[in-house]
């Protein structure tokens, strides 16, 4: 257990429906990431928050995707009008402040597996 | 971004030492080398990180030659529970300083009884 929780662990939805996932990071970690992982592939970066500010988005994050991190604590990832191609594992990760280093150790949650029918 | 190349899969018997090599020919001066482990239906887990020479912790050793164009993750005396996908990553820094991780496909290690 890394201390990062995600809810739900599994979500099955029909195409066209909206879904929302939640991530609760390690409380003192101010940096939060969302990744997407499809079968047989490594995780792909989606977006990054530092505290409540969303500082970076990947091109993978289409306009149907939106992420928030109100108050700089938990984060939500919403997908609107889901498509079958959205089926994947959505992973949340967090990282504490390590100023002056170029290393990066991220702590991942167990992920939310989305299946779009 | 430094690209990494590692074997797609490896098999090993229990109790053997496993070495997984990763190539990263265009690694930058400030890049670190990091390995993550991922079990099915779980998120990746940090194993070890290094810059040069050798690093050892309670889980694994990481060997990095002087030119840093490759690295080798060494797992001593593997057990069935070491069956997982192992990812080699080279430090990535975006313009916004997000330190996003760039994963390849990893090496699927299967430990056989």
């Amino acid at each position: 257990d890394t201390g990062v929780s995600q809810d739900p662990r599994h979500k099955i939805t029909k195409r066209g429906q909206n879904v929302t996932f939640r991530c609760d990071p390690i409380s003192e970690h101010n940096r939060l990431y969302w990744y997407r992982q499809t079968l047989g592939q490594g995780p792909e970066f989606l977006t990054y928050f530092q505290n409540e500010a969303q500082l970076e988005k990947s091109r993978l994050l289409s306009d149907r995707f939106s992420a928030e991190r109100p108050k700089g604590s938990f984060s939500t990832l919403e997908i609107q009008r889901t498509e079958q191609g959205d089926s994947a594992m959505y992973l949340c990760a967090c990282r504490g402040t390590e100023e002056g280093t170029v290393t990066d150790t991220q702590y991942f949650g167990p992920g939310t597996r989305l299946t779009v029918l | 971004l430094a690209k990494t190349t590692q074997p797609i899969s490896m098999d090993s018997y229990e109790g053997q030492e496993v070495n997984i090599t990763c190539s990263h020919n265009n690694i930058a001066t400030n890049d670190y080398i990091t390995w993550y482990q991922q079990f099915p239906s779980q998120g990746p887990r940090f194993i070890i990180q290094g810059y040069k020479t050798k690093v050892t912790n309670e889980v694994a050793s990481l060997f990095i030659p002087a030119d840093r164009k490759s690295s080798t993750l060494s797992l001593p005396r593997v057990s069935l529970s070491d069956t997982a996908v192992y990812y080699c990553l080279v430090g990535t820094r975006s313009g916004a300083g997000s330190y996003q991780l760039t994963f390849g496909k990893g090496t699927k290690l299967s430990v056989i009884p």
Side-chain angles (χ1 to χ4, degrees), chain A:
Chain A
D1 185 4
T2 60
V4 181
S5 61
Q6 292 188 244
D7 183 69
R9 293 292 308 276
H10 304 274
K11 179 70 177 179
I12 300 174
T13 190
K14 293 182 179 179
R15 187 177 54 185
Q17 298 294 307
N18 299 343
V19 294
T20 300
F21 311 138
R22 176 180 171 123
C23 170
D24 287 273
I26 298 170
S27 59
E28 60 269 24
H29 285 194
N30 63 337
R31 303 179 189 209
L32 185 144
Y33 307 76
W34 285 98
Y35 293 83
R36 182 179 72 181
Q37 184 174 25
T38 54
L39 197 61
Q41 305 294 318
E44 298 172 289
F45 169 76
L46 291 178
T47 190
Y48 161 68
F49 288 85
Q50 185 168 329
N51 299 310
E52 66 277 5
Q54 187 175 20
L55 297 183
E56 192 165 340
K57 298 181 191 179
S58 159
R59 293 178 184 176
L60 295 175
L61 210 68
S62 75
D63 55 7
R64 295 185 298 105
F65 287 69
S66 63
E68 296 182 341
R69 193 183 182 197
K71 303 179 183 179
S73 55
F74 71 92
S75 176
T76 58
L77 177 67
E78 180 183 16
I79 308 175
Q80 296 182 327
R81 305 180 303 282
T82 52
E83 302 173 356
Q84 288 184 326
D86 297 331
S87 294
M89 175 80 87
Y90 290 85
L91 293 159
C92 171
C94 63
R95 173 176 177 257
T97 301
E98 296 174 18
E99 299 301 332
T101 74
V102 295
T103 63
D104 187 359
T105 303
Q106 295 186 14
Y107 298 86
F108 284 81
T112 294
R113 182 168 295 283
L114 172 67
T115 302
V116 181
L117 302 176

